[in-house]
Amino acid sequence: MEKLTMSVDEVASELGVSNTTIYTMVRQKEIPHTKVRGRILFHRPTIEHWLITNTEGGDTN
């Protein structure tokens, strides 16, 4: 079973960007995330949906 949440490292790796980029996007509220006891977590299905709907020419349905 696949985990429901992803860490900063995992999201950065999946998106092909640096951890610093992800932290900047979190700070600027550009990427959906949640904080649990100070830890930044990303809900995998939400990130997948965000990636599709924020892709130029992507399906927005």
Side-chain angles (χ1 to χ4, degrees), residues 1-55:
M1 183 173 156
E2 194 171 52
K3 289 186 342 176
L4 284 178
T5 60
M6 299 168 65
S7 67
V8 170
D9 289 340
E10 291 168 327
V11 171
S13 177
E14 287 288 323
L15 298 182
V17 299
S18 70
N19 291 8
T20 303
T21 297
I22 298 300
Y23 283 118
T24 300
M25 292 175 77
V26 165
R27 189 173 54 255
Q28 295 176 353
K29 298 181 180 6
E30 295 177 347
I31 189 168
H33 66 282
T34 189
K35 289 187 180 180
V36 177
R37 293 191 168 221
R39 197 163 170 226
I40 300 167
L41 296 175
F42 304 87
H43 184 243
R44 183 178 297 274
T46 302
I47 293 300
E48 291 170 353
H49 181 261
W50 171 83
L51 188 57
I52 291 167
T53 58
N54 286 286
T55 301

